[in-house]
Amino acid sequence: MDAAVTVVVGAAVAVPMAATVSAHVQQKIDQAQRAAQLTGRQHQVWLLDQVVLGRLGVVVGVLLLFALLYQVLPIARTGQTFGKRLARVRVVVAGGSRPPGFGRSLLRWLVGGLGTVLLLGLVAPLLDRSARRGWHDRAARTRVVKVARPARR
């Protein structure tokens, strides 16, 4: 669930940026074609320039800020994000029951992101038969526990 929310936010920022980047790159290509027709020589076009990198920087910056607000801070305070709350799980300090705090939560998120990029981090919990902890949980000394259902009246 948390990944889906992040994808939606990323798409909401990236799609409008992609349209402006596409128009900018097309304008550069058109200018190079006109210059080639006038001079009779081909002209190089660098697709990665300040405009493209600036837009990419905005998307990355928004996603980092969103990750801090949506994942790191809630896990630091309560051990749960929206998705973890729906799944009835929470992150706690290994060997305890309290939320991990900001430092551990940030470390957990950073190592989790690195593991996702490397793809091996996604299967690490499956290979850990005893505790089912991923690299991010081991690095931050945290674990994920089930939340007891509230008693029915």
Side-chain angles (χ1 to χ4, degrees), residues 14-28:
V15 168
M17 293 283 183
T20 62
V21 166
S22 178
H24 170 73
V25 168
Q26 187 60 51
Q27 180 184 11
K28 287 177 67 170

Side-chain angles (χ1 to χ4, degrees), residues 15-149:
V15 168
M17 293 283 183
T20 62
V21 166
S22 178
H24 170 73
V25 168
Q26 187 60 51
Q27 180 184 11
K28 287 177 67 170
I29 292 171
D30 293 343
Q31 287 174 345
Q33 286 176 340
R34 284 192 295 276
Q37 288 173 349
L38 291 173
T39 62
R41 296 183 13 209
Q42 288 185 348
H43 291 264
Q44 273 188 330
V45 177
W46 291 94
L47 300 180
L48 286 178
D49 63 2
Q50 293 174 342
V51 172
V52 174
L53 292 175
R55 299 289 195 280
L56 181 61
V58 167
V59 172
V60 169
V62 166
L63 285 173
L64 288 175
L65 179 64
F66 178 74
L68 179 72
L69 295 174
Y70 182 75
Q71 293 186 6
V72 175
L73 292 178
I75 288 177
R77 290 188 62 224
T78 65
Q80 290 181 306
T81 59
F82 177 68
K84 284 179 179 36
R85 204 171 294 254
L86 286 177
R88 291 197 167 111
V89 297
R90 73 188 276 248
V91 178
V92 297
V93 173
S97 61
R98 71 182 203 287
F102 183 76
R104 287 180 196 236
S105 182
L106 181 62
L107 177 63
R108 185 178 189 276
W109 178 77
L110 289 171
V111 173
L114 179 63
T116 301
V117 168
L118 296 176
L119 297 177
L120 293 174
L122 298 174
V123 297
L126 300 175
L127 301 176
D128 181 9
R129 293 192 186 271
S130 61
R132 294 277 187 229
R133 290 170 61 199
W135 293 347
H136 54 295
D137 282 319
R138 292 206 177 272
R141 292 178 297 178
T142 60
R143 62 189 174 101
V144 177
V145 296
K146 290 185 183 229
V147 175
R149 290 182 179 231

